[in-house]
Structures are given as structure tokens and as C-alpha cells.
Amino acid sequence: MGHTGKQTIVFKNPPVITCAYSSAGPKESAGPLGDYFDNQLQDELLGQETWEKAESILIKQTVQGLLNKADKRPEDIQYLFAGDLQNQVIASTFGLKDFNIPFFGLYGACSTMGESMCLASIMVAGGMADLVMAGTSSHNCAAEKQFRFPLEYAGQRTLTQQWTATASGFVLISRCGKGPKIEAVTPGKIVDLGIKDSFNMGAAMAPAAVDTILAHLEDTNQKPSDFDAIITGDLGNCGSDIAVDIANKLGVDLSKVMNDCGKLIYDDESQDTHCGGSGCGCSGSVFAGYLYKQLLKRNLKKILLIPTGALMSPGSTQQGNTIPGVAHAVSIVMD
Amino acid sequence: MANIKQLKNEYPQIVKEHSPKNKVMINSAKAFLVGGAICTIGQGFTEIYKYYGMAKDDAQMVSTVTLILLSAIFTGFNIYDNIGKFGGAGAAIPITGFANAMVSSAMEFKKEGYVYGMGAKLFTIAGPVIVFGAIASVVAGIIFYFV
Amino acid sequence: MDLFMELLKTFVVGGIICSIGQILLDRTKLTGGRIMVLFLLAGAVLTALGLYEPLVNFAGAGATVPISGFGYALVKGAIEEVGKEGFMGAFSGGIKATSAGITAAIVFGYMAALLSNPKSKS
């Protein structure tokens, strides 16, 4: 079928997610989804000297874990789409360089899992490749250092703040094979409703998530109830509420099917994360660890995954810019 | 299709409705306790130094230096950030918070080297205090010279 | 008993100054760094107007330990030095009066950072 409606691609030969692998840091492993993560880390530094290097090792372990689980060698993977939150996606560079897989480095902030899955599935469905890898990562301490305050700084986190997950998720997208299929993708637009508060990322991203969900539903002529779950990336508690509210104002009721990876990954009360989780690795690991397994067990048969990203840099917010959001939808079915 | 941009004007209000509010009363009470305690410790040191024969001004200065030293030690042992998490401005506004801002920034960028890492980053958060302090003192001095 | 009253005054005044800071943190978009600068400048201006000195006399460390006390020391130093040395005193007085604190923060800060590492929060 190909390009459908305004911004959706529906696949005639839906690519298959044949394997998925997730890694999660100590805090994430102690959370409600802890047991679902394939690789549960004890040490947030992963034996490295710096947080940045730790994130690269996190990526390396996740990709190696995925290869082992799928019984593949790096040579079998034709292309690799990945990205992270560090400047110039440098964590991916150092984590992936030894695999010698042709590499597309992506920056979509926390929407990277959606962006990489969209591009990888388009490449496979378009007949350009048979086996492509997609994934992402984030590291709490590396992100704090780059975007916020030093770890030992005596500041208070606001109640709307979310916790950047130390986690990574990678998937294998194949032309054929067994597993959940990617039926359609809807790449999102950059949506900006003027939010400037970098401590309320959920509010910055919620409009982008709703925009992409509505575009996907309209382009594919579906209703929210056609899905078992519509799962956003990392809007967190506050952002999810806002998303349901504004979708409602636009005439679409998402309240019955909507959930959010950032809401699922932590127990906010006992883990003191405030407004849920965030970071590329949040949606990456929750999909590759939890949702993928639910699809395999057929507890979920059709989901819309919408990783959400807040597009900002420390400089852009200091200069008083708004924080636009972006969100990419991936429609996944299990026969 | 409904356009999300039509919500732009009411969006700040929607966000406000769904965002959890800071508990100002409780936070201020904690800030009062922690800030008051740090100041009292400072006064305690001053009294001790005076007891051992220091002049009042000297005792005050040495007391300030003592607080800065303690803050550096507590930050280095990964404790002061927890005091800040509890006490908020009560830990940030005393001179110990100023020292913590310097130490924590330097610690964070230790791996970037002794010069461009620690040496430079020591001032990322606390530097403006010295800058504006110097400017304020010069302005005040000049005004008093002419008045 | 006198000492107890002294310490109580210190505690209350220091506590009030910090809780004003907390209200600003919670009620406005100001972050820690900006609040430090704001209090410093507030201390400096109040000192220049002759309003901070009485507070220091009343509460001691309750007024000098908060960062507004740093502004107080800077401005007081500059004004006193102008009285002694003339015009150039405006340039030397402030930092001179606070040099011990600034130097301590730099030296102890660098040493502490040299000897320790940040720890993850989880």
C-alpha cells in the first residue's frame, strides 16, 4: 500500500520483529517491570570510569545480548539505526563501533525508539534489506550531567520532573520470520504549543503524541478501540493526563486504551521518581522488555507504540526557546 | 481533522490543571529547619572560637571557613545532596550551599581533566555569585566615595 | 541562657531567610543559581541602604551565613575601604573582606573534588 493519508506508511509486506532485548539499570530492575528486562544491571557504572562510557557499554551489552538471543552474528545484520541523548549521539558511536555494522546515527530525543523502528521497518518493507537492527539507550547520570545539575548538587527535583531511565532496548526487524509484525508507521511532526519549562517534559511532549496518534487513526481509518493498547513513550503521569485531556478536547477518547512507558517503568511512590520515567531507554526497554513479551504471549494483539521526544538542548532553553515535541507511531500486530 | 494548534492559547491552563503543585508550606518549614540549623552551627563555631580568645571578626571569618570546609567534606562523601533534597533552599542559600555548588560541579567534571574539567567547572553554578558580588561591591564603593 | 537566646535568634533569622528562598523556588521558575545571585544582590543592596547591619547585629550568623551575608560582607568591605583608601578602595575592599571565604571555597572545593567521585542516585 505504501503512503496512506497525510503522513502514514502502511506496509504491504509487514516486517517482523523477530527478536528484542532489553537492559535496565539497578533502579529500573527494582521497578514493577524489573523481571521482564533481559539484562538486569547491578552497577550503574557498569565497571567503567565515567557515566558516558557506562552508557556505551550498556548499548554494547544490549546489542550483543540481542545477537546471542537471536543466534545471529554481527555480519548477519545489514544495517543498524540507533541513537541516544548524549551530545552528537556519542554513546551509540562508542557502543556500536566494534560490531562493524553499517550505522545510521539518529537523534530524536526520547522518541528515538520510534524513529529507529520506523526507519528500519521502512527499509525492510521497501525491499532494501532483509535484517536490520533498531534501538536506543539512555543513562540517568549521563543525562543529568548534560541537561541538568551535577549529581552531588544540593537541589530539589520538582514534582513534575521525570526520572531519566538507565536502560536500553534493541530489536531485530526482519523481512520474514515469526513474531509481531509492524503493520504501519506514522512519523510525527514537530509540534510546539509553547511550553518552556524543562522540568515538565511530559507537558512539552503531550501535544506531539496526540497529534501523531490522531494522524495515525485518521490516516488508517481506525478508532482507539481497534487497539488493545495505545502506549506513549515517556509522557509520565502528568503528560499522560494532559494527552488524554487534549485528545478529548479534539473529540477522541483515549482514556480506555492509553498507557505510557514512563508510567509503567517505576513505582513513583516507593522509588521517588516524581512524575514517572523518561529517556530514550524508557520506551526502548519497556517495549523490548515488557511489551514485546506481552505480544509474544498474545496478551496484547495490537498496539500502537508512540515514543515521544522533547526537542531541546541546554542552550536552547537558556536562550528562552520553547520545547517542541515529536512523536513517531509504530503499529504492531501479533497474529 | 482537528488541529492540535487550536489548543495553543488554552494549553498553559491545561498543563497547570494536570501538574502536581509543590507543597510550599512543608517545603518552607523544612527549609526553615535546615537553614536555621546551618546558621546556628555557624554561630556555634563563632562562639567557640571567641571562647578560645579570637577577636569577634576573626572568629566569624574562621567560622565561615569552617562551614565551607564541612560542606566540601559532606559533598565529597555524597551526603550534602541529600541534605539539599530534604531542606531545599535551607541547604542552598547558606554559604555551605555555595560551597556545595562549587564542589559538586568540579566533581561532576573530574574526568574532563584537572584544568578544563575541575578547574573551570568549579565555577559553573557558583561563579555568577562571585561575579555579581564583585560588581555589587564596586558599585557600592563608588557610590559611597561620591556621596 | 544568654548564649541560648543568641543561638535561638540565629536559628530563627537564618531559617526565615532560607524559607523565603524556598517560597521563591516553589512559586516561581527561578532555579538555585539564580536564587543565590538574587539573595546576594538583596544582601548587597540592603547593606548599602544600612538595613542589613542591624540584622547582623541582632542575629549574627543567622544573617551572615546565608548568601545574602556574603553580599553584606562584600559591600561593607568596599565601603570601609573607600573610607580608608579613597577611590581605589571600591575595587579592593569587597574581595579583600571576603577573600578567606572565596579562597576556602576554591581550595577546599578543588581538594574535595580531587578526592571524591559523584555517586548515582538509584
Side-chain angles (χ1 to χ4, degrees), chain A:
Chain A
M1 268 172 93
H3 186 80
T4 306
K6 217 163 54 181
Q7 59 186 94
T8 299
I9 299 162
V10 177
F11 298 123
K12 200 166 22 177
N13 307 308
V16 187
I17 309 171
T18 50
C19 196
Y21 191 86
S22 55
S23 298
K27 193 180 183 91
E28 293 69 25
S29 298
L33 301 182
D35 292 340
Y36 290 98
F37 298 122
D38 303 278
N39 178 22
Q40 296 167 28
L41 302 164
Q42 303 303 318
D43 170 20
E44 201 139 24
L45 263 178
L46 287 96
Q48 301 300 302
E49 276 191 335
T50 69
W51 310 117
E52 291 83 355
K53 284 181 186 159
E55 185 171 353
S56 293
I57 298 299
L58 179 71
I59 295 168
K60 199 171 182 172
Q61 286 187 2
T62 312
V63 169
Q64 190 58 54
L66 180 59
L67 290 169
N68 294 347
K69 195 174 168 188
D71 198 19
K72 300 280 182 201
R73 292 165 301 150
E75 306 87 277
D76 300 329
I77 315 299
Q78 288 161 325
Y79 299 98
L80 173 51
F81 291 90
D84 58 84
L85 288 178
Q86 284 184 32
N87 286 334
Q88 287 77 39
V89 291
I90 204 70
S92 300
T93 301
F94 286 107
L96 297 169
K97 69 183 170 82
D98 293 335
F99 289 105
N100 292 312
I101 303 170
F103 167 61
F104 292 98
L106 308 178
Y107 188 80
C110 309
S111 73
T112 306
M113 194 64 189
E115 187 177 9
S116 63
M117 285 173 75
C118 280
L119 291 169
S121 55
I122 290 167
M123 187 175 232
V124 171
M128 310 302 155
D130 296 319
L131 193 58
V132 177
M133 199 184 270
T136 188
S137 74
S138 56
H139 193 292
N140 177 271
C141 306
E144 289 295 319
K145 178 174 173 180
Q146 181 169 311
F147 292 102
R148 296 181 197 102
F149 297 108
L151 291 168
E152 300 302 332
Y153 178 59
Q156 275 174 329
R157 298 172 64 244
T158 67
L159 292 179
T160 51
Q161 252 178 289
Q162 295 166 253
W163 192 275
T164 307
T166 300
S168 172
F170 275 80
V171 294
L172 267 185
I173 295 179
S174 168
R175 198 168 52 80
C176 50
K178 280 203 189 103
K181 289 184 176 134
I182 299 180
E183 213 181 30
V185 296
T186 303
K189 294 177 293 209
I190 299 168
V191 179
D192 185 0
L193 288 195
I195 291 295
K196 288 188 174 178
D197 182 1
S198 63
F199 299 117
N200 195 352
M201 295 292 209
M205 299 186 289
V210 172
D211 188 69
T212 304
I213 294 170
L214 265 45
H216 184 84
L217 294 176
E218 180 166 293
D219 288 347
T220 58
N221 201 16
Q222 295 181 97
K223 312 180 290 298
S225 57
D226 291 330
F227 295 88
D228 292 335
I230 293 180
I231 298 167
T232 47
D234 56 352
L235 298 182
N237 307 332
C238 166
S240 298
D241 291 349
I242 294 171
V244 170
D245 189 0
I246 57 179
N248 209 19
K249 285 192 164 63
L250 297 172
V252 179
D253 180 15
L254 294 177
S255 61
K256 292 190 182 60
V257 285
M258 182 150 153
N259 212 326
D260 179 74
C261 299
K263 273 170 88 170
L264 293 166
I265 192 166
Y266 300 115
D267 177 6
D268 288 326
E269 279 296 311
S270 68
Q271 296 191 292
D272 196 28
T273 40
H274 294 194
C275 226
S278 69
C280 307
C282 176
S283 54
S285 66
V286 171
F287 175 72
Y290 174 65
L291 296 170
Y292 184 77
K293 292 184 177 97
Q294 297 307 312
L295 286 160
L296 285 184
K297 284 187 207 153
R298 293 185 170 76
N299 292 341
L300 294 170
K301 285 189 182 144
K302 178 168 171 136
I303 66 169
L304 190 64
L305 179 73
I306 311 108
T308 42
L311 303 173
M312 46 85 71
S313 71
S316 74
T317 43
Q318 270 178 8
Q319 290 172 8
N321 279 313
T322 54
I323 305 172
V326 71
H328 305 293
V330 185
S331 175
I332 303 162
V333 289
M334 183 72 193
D335 303 322

